[in-house]
Amino acid sequence: MHLNLRFCSPIAALATVFALVQAPLSSQAAGEKKIEIFSWWTSGGEAAALDALFTVYKKQYPGVEIINATVAGGGGSAARPVLQTRLAGGNPPDTWQSHPGWEMLGQYVDPGYCEPITELYKSGSWEKAFPKAIVDLMTKDGKTYGVLAGVHRGNELWYNKALLEKNGITVGDKLSIDEFFADCDKLKAAGIPALGVGDSGIWASAQLFENTLLGVVGGQGWKDLFSGKMQWDDPKVKQAMTYFAKMQDYVNPDHSALSWDQAIGELIEGKVAFSSMGDWADGEFLKAGKKENVDFGWVSHPGTDDSFIIVADGFTLAKNAPHHDATVAWLKSIGSKEAQEAFNPIKGSIPARTDVDKSKFDKYHQWSMKSFATATLVPSWEHGEAAPAAFQQALNDAVTAFIVDKNVDTFASALVQAAKESESTK
Ligand code: GAL
């Protein structure tokens, strides 16, 4: 499968802090008095962060009524099919949440559902403030189609500090896969499910596999997999599958009944010890009033210290948007420094703009910003960036089957096949 990973190369330089010249915002632009904003941000942390974006928008463009069109389901698992039906039926929301890369360009731009907003990047500070490598992921034929609210890191392992301490477990700056399994065994012996998963939407388990795979193949291996240099039945991939199978022995028994945020809730309550999840989990801890490095801690998912799985959140402008001007104003607003500084500390992501006031961010965010500046940046397939939707779907199906049969060869063959089919549908 030859997938163009345009932002795989280390782009540390892009995280340099550029000078800010705030784009002038005109409240005139919100001439139409309504806007429908479509997203899947419904968990405690997600909703609070979305609300922060609304607050800034209302301040910058007073008098616009916001229709908050959310469809619950982490990772957009339930929202994306609803959106697809609306788009195909000619009934688009004005703007919708989308990941850059394949998802935005392949699912929404190629079929003609989006209006370009290139002009926004030419005005004021935007050209300098947004890393080009990320803007490129929303750009086709010289036209840009999205604005990023923030950039999540997908590959964290979160933990309940008190529970680990009680069981004589200390986690340092790094955790190897062997140390992780040793900790899991200790917890298992104490009758505690070590690994909290909420895969009522299978994407959360696929995310665990994504992180585990990166931990084995590394940033270069990730690039090789998506450029076709490494095959999906490579011994390294199979090694990751074996680890993933082993992890199932430590998972909470109620995993398939829980959503991702309910699993984080179990971690907060001390029912499970670890959870491998993107840093939207940080938003849940904060919303629950938990203190970083006191109540909860984090470390890179085993083996992924030098990589940063990008899960970025963008918004689009619908072609023939019912409320065009209010939507352009919304996009200007979420791209403003003010909005990025209000939203990201609550959401767990780091700002897409590089000219923010870093002192407004807590320790976790400082850690993630540093990782963004120094790690190998790789796109997520589970969140639509690295591969076409068909590959993502095939992977989810293969993960569902694997959790039951734990057959590494079948899993690997399914991915080889999915990669072949993705290539042929490009
Ligand atoms: C991701 C999204 C994040 C977060 C997460 C869980 O796809 O980029 O913002 O919402 O899903 O729902």
Side-chain angles (χ1 to χ4, degrees), residues 110-374:
D110 283 351
Y113 294 136
C114 296
E115 197 75 51
I117 46 159
T118 325
E119 287 311 308
L120 292 186
Y121 288 89
K122 293 192 174 146
S123 57
S125 60
W126 282 37
E127 213 159 9
K128 280 190 172 175
F130 288 97
K132 184 175 178 305
I134 286 186
V135 176
D136 281 353
L137 288 168
M138 303 183 287
T139 303
K140 190 151 192 196
D141 301 331
K143 293 178 182 155
T144 304
Y145 291 89
V147 176
L148 292 181
V151 181
H152 282 293
R153 187 180 192 271
N155 47 309
E156 275 79 27
L157 187 69
W158 303 92
Y159 55 88
N160 179 312
K161 259 189 108 88
L163 185 61
L164 290 193
E165 268 159 32
K166 207 171 135 196
N167 287 279
I169 297 169
T170 321
V171 177
D173 290 349
K174 287 183 179 185
L175 188 65
S176 72
I177 192 81
D178 290 340
E179 287 166 338
F180 173 65
F181 281 130
D183 292 344
C184 288
D185 282 333
K186 240 187 206 177
L187 290 157
K188 193 172 184 174
I192 300 160
L195 190 53
V197 174
D199 64 356
S200 60
I202 194 63
W203 72 272
S205 265
Q207 166 106 43
L208 175 61
F209 176 60
E210 175 165 276
N211 289 344
T212 305
L213 177 64
L214 178 65
V216 179
V217 302
Q220 185 57 46
W222 199 262
K223 291 178 204 177
D224 292 346
L225 273 172
F226 286 94
S227 70
K229 252 193 191 171
M230 190 191 286
Q231 300 309 307
W232 287 90
D233 55 0
D234 187 275
K236 283 189 178 171
V237 177
K238 288 188 172 178
Q239 173 66 73
M241 290 170 173
T242 306
Y243 287 150
F244 180 54
K246 185 170 161 140
M247 285 174 187
Q248 304 307 317
D249 296 343
Y250 306 99
V251 161
N252 46 318
D254 55 352
H255 65 96
S256 61
L258 302 182
S259 58
W260 72 272
D261 50 312
Q262 287 173 326
I264 296 297
E266 290 208 340
L267 192 156
I268 290 173
E269 287 168 35
K271 289 187 182 159
V272 300
F274 293 101
S275 192
S276 183
M277 187 46 66
D279 55 16
W280 41 92
D282 187 46
E284 297 308 301
F285 293 120
L286 299 176
K287 178 71 186 162
K290 298 297 158 191
K291 300 257 173 305
E292 59 178 0
N293 290 330
V294 175
D295 302 310
F296 69 96
W298 67 90
V299 67
S300 287
H301 183 92
T304 68
D305 302 276
D306 300 331
S307 305
F308 184 121
I309 297 191
I310 293 192
V311 185
D313 288 308
F315 280 86
T316 57
L317 168 63
K319 188 169 228 159
N320 303 323
H323 311 97
H324 176 275
D325 292 355
T327 309
V328 172
W330 160 253
L331 295 171
K332 273 190 186 172
S333 177
I334 60 177
S336 71
K337 200 174 168 230
E338 189 181 1
Q340 303 248 322
E341 287 177 354
F343 170 80
N344 288 291
I346 305 174
K347 186 69 168 64
S349 41
I350 57 172
R353 289 186 76 119
T354 52
D355 57 357
V356 293
D357 179 355
K358 284 193 181 171
S359 69
K360 291 187 174 159
F361 291 85
D362 63 16
K363 289 211 170 57
Y364 173 72
H365 287 81
Q366 305 283 348
W367 181 90
S368 179
M369 283 185 217
K370 190 167 168 221
S371 172
F372 185 78
T374 55

